[in-house]
Amino acid sequence: MAWIVLCAYIGWLALAFARQTWRQYRRTGDTGLRISPRPGSAQWWAKLLFIAALLSCTAGPVADIAGATTGPVAVPTLTPHPVVAGIGLALIAASIVATPIAQIAMGSSWRVGVDPDERTRLVTRGPFRMVRNPIFTLVTALPLGAVLAVPNAVSAAGLLLLVAAVQIQVRAVEEPYLLRTHGQAYRDYAAKVGRFLPCIGRLTPPTAPR
C-alpha cells in the first residue's frame, strides 16, 4: 500500500506541477510560477508550510516502506481497515485525475503563488462554478487519502501542515488579492460559491450602513 501511495505522490507532482508548468509556458510563454514572495509575508509562510507539507507527505509512505514504523524508535502508525484504505486510494485517484482538469479550466490565469501587481482573469467556469478553490480542495484530498491508506504520524503531520498552508494562502493572500483586483465581481461570485466545498465558506456581503 505504501508503494502505491508513494508512486501516486510522484505521479501527481509530475502532472500537477512539472507537466502543468511546461504546458503553461508552451501556451503563454510564462511558467505561471510566482514563488518568490517577500520574506516574512503571509505568502512566504504559506510557501514554507507547503514545502514542509510536501516533504512530510512524501516521508510518510517512505517511513512505512523503510520499516520505520517498527523498532525501538518507531513512527506511530495504525493498520487501516480495508474499507478505509480503499476510500483513501479513491481520494488519491480522484485528486490525480481531477487536478489537471481544474488547472486546464483556469487557462492562462493558472498561477502558483500571487503577484500583487498582476491582473489575471477571474475564472468562474467548470469546477469553479461549484467551489472557488477546486485545486486546493484536490491538493488536500491527496494527503488525506494517504493518511487513510497509510496512517502514520508523519503522513498526518504532512496533512496538517498542508491544511495550514492552504488556509493561509487562500484567506490571507489570494482572497484579498482577488477582492482588490476584481472588486464587486469577486464579491458576487464568492457570495454564491463555497470556498473549498459547495455552499460552505461563502463570503457574506458587508452590511450597508444605516
Side-chain angles (χ1 to χ4, degrees):
M1 187 70 74
W3 274 110
I4 295 174
V5 173
L6 180 60
C7 291
Y9 269 127
I10 295 171
W12 182 85
L13 286 170
L15 284 173
F17 287 99
R19 180 181 179 277
Q20 175 61 20
T21 300
W22 169 244
R23 180 179 178 275
Q24 188 79 356
Y25 180 76
R26 188 178 61 184
R27 290 180 64 250
T28 67
D30 183 351
T31 62
L33 301 180
R34 307 293 185 265
I35 53 176
S36 299
R38 177 174 54 83
S41 65
Q43 188 169 195
W44 183 80
W45 282 108
K47 175 185 173 181
L48 290 185
L49 287 170
F50 271 120
I51 293 172
L54 178 62
L55 293 174
S56 296
C57 288
T58 306
V62 169
D64 192 88
I65 293 167
T69 56
T70 59
V73 182
V75 174
T77 187
L78 297 172
T79 300
H81 188 280
V83 173
V84 174
I87 293 172
L89 292 178
L91 285 173
I92 292 171
S95 180
I96 293 173
V97 171
T99 299
I101 295 173
Q103 290 173 326
I104 290 171
M106 291 195 72
S108 60
S109 294
W110 180 79
R111 295 288 185 274
V112 173
V114 171
D115 179 351
D117 298 322
E118 184 178 28
R119 181 183 179 89
T120 57
R121 180 175 58 88
L122 179 62
V123 179
T124 60
R125 64 183 182 182
F128 292 85
R129 292 182 179 180
M130 297 179 287
V131 291
R132 303 199 303 275
N133 301 281
I135 294 175
F136 282 127
T137 301
L138 294 165
V139 165
T140 306
L142 186 67
L144 174 58
V147 169
L148 296 178
V150 185
N152 62 46
V154 180
S155 294
L159 174 60
L160 293 176
L161 287 168
L162 183 63
V163 169
V166 167
Q167 292 293 330
I168 293 172
Q169 181 68 18
V170 170
R171 294 174 183 268
V173 179
E174 297 199 359
E175 286 184 357
Y177 163 77
L178 291 167
L179 285 167
R180 289 194 308 271
T181 304
H182 297 287
Q184 192 60 44
Y186 183 73
R187 290 187 182 90
D188 292 342
Y189 168 61
K192 296 182 292 185
V193 180
R195 183 179 280 116
F196 300 112
L197 297 171
C199 302
I200 299 175
R202 291 179 291 189
L203 294 186
T204 304
T207 304
R210 295 181 179 179

